[in-house]
Amino acid sequence: MTTETDAVRMTDAAVAHLREREADHLAQFDEFLRIPSVSADPARNADVQRAAEWIVAELERLGIEQATIHPTSAHPIITAEWLHAGPDAPTVLVYCHYDVQPSDPDDEWVRPPFEPRFEDERVYARGAGDDKGQLFMHLKAAEAWMTTAGRLPLNLRFFFEGDEEVGSGPIETFIDEHADLLRADVCVVSDSDTFDDHGTPGIGYGLRGIAYWEVRVSGPAHDVHSGQYGGGVDNPANVLARMLASLTDADGRVTVPGFYDRVRDLTAEERAAYATLPFDEAEWRAETGVPAAMDGERGYTLQERLSARPTFDINGIWGGYSGAGAKTIIPAWAAAKISTRLVPDQDFREIEQSMKAHLESIAPPTVTASVQIIHGGAPAITPLDHPGIPPVARALEAGFGTAPLFQRSGGSVPVVAALDAQLGLKTLMVGFANPSGNFHAPNEWMSLRNIRDGMASIVHLWAELGAMKADDLRA
Ligand code: BES
Ligand code: MN
Ligand code: MN
């Protein structure tokens, strides 16, 4: 029987272990970050596989059992477990992803993206924050428990994905087929950020969903002279620009019919909570480099629009001539990648279809438009009254020395809604990356402070949750 003082002593020993081993850990982190596990690039498939193998070797080394690489229709999924804390102890499923975004534009990186730079108390590399850094922190927190106490204070399962950055294609099938490997009382997802860059941790309670398409508008059979044919042949690039511009109106709202039908409105309490959160718009502007915030959807504050309201974006647009000088053509076609961020209770599958139908319906008869659905993921809101929230708050305060604030994130992590819908499993979103740490951008970074305090928080979190009974943790 472990007394309360034992638990405190063991937690402190595990935290002390992390501090003593920091130099070794950073060297290992460097090794992990060097593996270019870019899920979007088929040329990197072997590297994605190598990253999975690196993780499994680590899990085995630190005494986590059944570490398995599961092949999927895309990149592998990793599961592992340590279930020796007894049947009354809670079982927690830890989710992170080991794939990363492409690194381009590479010439904007101070050092190459897969050659980590340790400078200014930060680690710069692709994946430093999103999400290899957070996955690595979980490995080290488990290792600290295993080496100092010889055990974990609760039952842990690990669930690491290699397709998160490309839409989590295989995740639903995997959850259906391997529910037994994911069985837990609650899930902890570490794939988000702290509240600010000044040491305030965050507890996430919402994520946006996403739907993503490629649209192609085709006109003449080949490029034609814009003098000879201009005025007669409709220009696919002009048409595409008009079509996409019409997808948002003067109030900043998406015009696809039915788009807002299922949007759950912010409650008065939630709007009040948003209003009390510290937010420095000038700092936010400086960080992004924009001269001013956009007007966005009328009737909502900037903070609300950044996470609690849906959006529409053109992610890329191309076609026609973009070489040196000028070339006078009407291009044969133009194309765009577009996406919407979704909020509860929008249904991404429904939106995928309604956007496709809408674009096809507004295309004029002078062109043909084709719309391809690329990927989608559901939005999520996790209950703030979940019994796991107070222990998470205590653990974060122990690790960071500051109480966490609650935040709804604007990004998407499809697994969160999928675990709830398919297994009834609730998620606690405990993220450690820096909010201005250049996710998906050149010179991605995470601060050593967030790494240190985050790892300590995880060590505390396992002690906090381990002190509960499994039955008391289920929402
Ligand atoms: N970790 C991010 C999502 C995120 C960012 C959550 C910031 C909270 C705060 C994740 O890796 C991500 O980028 N997801 C994609 C999902 C998409 C490819 C389905 C996204 O949001 O674009
Ligand atoms: Mn991520
Ligand atoms: Mn990401």
Side-chain angles (χ1 to χ4, degrees), residues 14-66:
V15 171
H17 174 88
L18 289 171
R19 301 252 187 269
E20 285 155 23
R21 296 298 175 84
E22 185 170 300
D24 292 348
H25 292 168
L26 292 180
Q28 264 189 303
F29 189 27
D30 175 88
E31 185 183 302
F32 185 39
L33 289 170
R34 281 177 189 271
I35 307 172
S37 49
V38 181
S39 49
D41 183 357
R44 299 290 202 190
N45 283 355
D47 294 308
V48 177
Q49 175 75 26
R50 195 152 56 86
E53 286 163 8
W54 190 95
I55 294 165
V56 163
E58 276 300 289
L59 288 164
E60 285 172 343
R61 193 179 57 75
L62 59 102
I64 306 299
E65 299 165 358
Q66 313 291 336

Side-chain angles (χ1 to χ4, degrees), residues 126-212:
R126 172 58 83 231
D130 185 14
D131 182 35
K132 282 158 95 179
Q134 300 187 61
L135 189 158
F136 183 80
M137 290 159 67
H138 274 286
L139 295 179
K140 292 298 123 183
E143 182 181 310
W145 270 108
M146 294 298 280
T147 33
T148 57
R151 61 190 300 274
L152 296 170
L154 80 179
N155 300 308
L156 271 194
R157 292 182 189 272
F158 294 93
F159 180 22
F160 296 147
E161 192 191 352
D163 284 291
E164 199 280 337
E165 298 292 10
V166 287
S168 297
I171 210 83
E172 289 184 351
T173 306
F174 187 86
I175 294 172
D176 272 340
E177 289 177 357
H178 297 280
D180 50 324
L181 299 176
L182 308 174
R183 195 161 298 123
D185 301 305
V186 75
C187 179
V188 166
V189 169
S190 292
D191 187 22
S192 51
D193 45 14
T194 50
F195 184 80
D196 61 27
D197 287 316
H198 317 295
T200 312
I203 297 180
Y205 69 97
L207 289 165
R208 286 197 279 203
I210 190 164
Y212 202 114

Side-chain angles (χ1 to χ4, degrees), residues 57 74 191 203 211 225 289 307 320 385 460 473:
D191 187 22
I203 297 180
H225 191 290
S307 53
D385 57 1
H460 282 282
L473 187 53

Side-chain angles (χ1 to χ4, degrees), residues 327-415:
K327 184 181 183 202
T328 44
I329 52 159
I330 293 170
W333 57 267
K337 305 261 189 193
I338 62 172
S339 62
T340 54
R341 293 284 169 178
L342 308 174
V343 300
D345 298 305
Q346 286 175 295
D347 177 337
F348 75 91
R349 294 182 215 276
E350 212 172 271
I351 302 271
E352 280 171 355
Q353 296 304 331
S354 55
M355 173 68 85
K356 181 171 158 63
H358 179 66
L359 283 170
E360 286 164 356
S361 78
I362 63 173
T366 51
V367 297
T368 54
S370 68
V371 182
Q372 192 200 337
I373 295 163
I374 309 267
H375 66 58
I381 284 215
T382 61
L384 281 171
D385 57 1
H386 189 283
I389 296 275
V392 170
R394 287 194 296 272
L396 287 170
E397 180 156 8
F400 283 81
T402 304
L405 293 175
F406 291 90
Q407 58 183 355
R408 238 172 117 163
S409 289
S412 309
V413 184
V415 76

